[in-house]
Structures are given as structure tokens and as C-alpha cells.
């Protein structure tokens, strides 16, 4: 059945190809290369604003997600990426404020691009 509103996600091989532009596919830390590939997939689909939610203070996920942000932003200059930690030791106020800041940046980017 065809949809007028939604598209099927890419195959794992296609996501891997996108990720390989930024990171070695042998990387197995945290989400490995999958998170990077999924962000690239979103960017190619026109989604400039991505919140990367990291549960339980996962150090490998911090390294991979945040470590790839600069490389992704070089290829996708309109990328507005933020990593939010969700665990008991993080203040909800801090989480909400970081998301609000990201939304503000997104709105300003839309105004500048006349969207």
C-alpha cells in the first residue's frame, strides 16, 4: 500500500552507506555508526532539527553522538543538533531549557531562510 504522507525508512545497508561518510562502520561503541547514519538520513530528507536523546548517561553514546555533530554540520550547514541526557542525575529544568534553546535556534533559522 502506498502512502501520500509517509515514506519507508532506508534499509540498513543504505543507512550504513550514509554513516560511512562520517564514521568507520567498524565502530561498535554505543549506537555505533547507526545513530550517525540515521541523522544523515534525516538531513537528506530535509529535517534540519534533531534531538538525540541519550538514556542513562551512556558514555559511548556521548562520544559517538556528540563526536559526529561537527562532522555532520560541515556537510549539512543547516543542521541544528542537540544531545539531551535523560537519567535521574540530570535536572529536568536543564533538559527543558536545552530543548527550548534548540527550538529557538530552529525558529531563527526558518526566519532567515524565509520558510
Amino acid at each position: 500500500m502506498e502512502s501520500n504522507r509517509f515514506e519507508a525508512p532506508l534499509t540498513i545497508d543504505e543507512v550504513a552507506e550514509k554513516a560511512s561518510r562520517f564514521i568507520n562502520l567498524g565502530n561498535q561503541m554505543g549506537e555505533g555508526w547507526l545513530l550517525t547514519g540515521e541523522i544523515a538520513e534525516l538531513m537528506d530528507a530535509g529535517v534540519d532539527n534533531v534531538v538525540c536523546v541519550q538514556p542513562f548517561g551512556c558514555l559511548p553514546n556521548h562520544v559517538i553522538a556528540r563526536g559526529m555533530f561537527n562532522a555532520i554540520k560541515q556537510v549539512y550547514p543547516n543542521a541544528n543538533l542537540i544531545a539531551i541526557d535523560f537519567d535521574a542525575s540530570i535536572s529536568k529544568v536543564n533538559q527543558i531549557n536545552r530543548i527550548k534553546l534548540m527550538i529557538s535556534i530552529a525558529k531563527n533559522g526558518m526566519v532567515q531562510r524565509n520558510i
Side-chain angles (χ1 to χ4, degrees), residues 16-31:
E17 183 179 327
K18 290 186 179 298
S20 68
R21 297 183 339 211
F22 303 101
I23 191 170
N24 186 300
L25 296 181
N27 188 318
Q28 299 298 311
M29 300 288 291
E31 295 290 320

Side-chain angles (χ1 to χ4, degrees), residues 92-111:
K92 285 189 181 194
V93 171
N94 184 32
Q95 294 166 337
I96 291 168
N97 285 340
R98 292 189 59 184
I99 293 169
K100 285 181 179 180
L101 175 62
M102 188 231 189
I103 291 169
S104 175
I105 292 169
K107 286 181 180 179
N108 286 338
M110 291 173 66
V111 168

Side-chain angles (χ1 to χ4, degrees), residues 69-113:
F69 281 6
N70 285 339
I72 291 169
K73 288 178 182 181
Q74 287 178 358
V75 175
Y76 303 99
N78 292 329
N80 182 18
L81 309 171
I82 189 166
I84 303 291
D85 299 324
F86 277 88
D87 66 30
S89 67
I90 303 298
S91 159
K92 285 189 181 194
V93 171
N94 184 32
Q95 294 166 337
I96 291 168
N97 285 340
R98 292 189 59 184
I99 293 169
K100 285 181 179 180
L101 175 62
M102 188 231 189
I103 291 169
S104 175
I105 292 169
K107 286 181 180 179
N108 286 338
M110 291 173 66
V111 168
Q112 291 174 357
R113 292 190 306 264

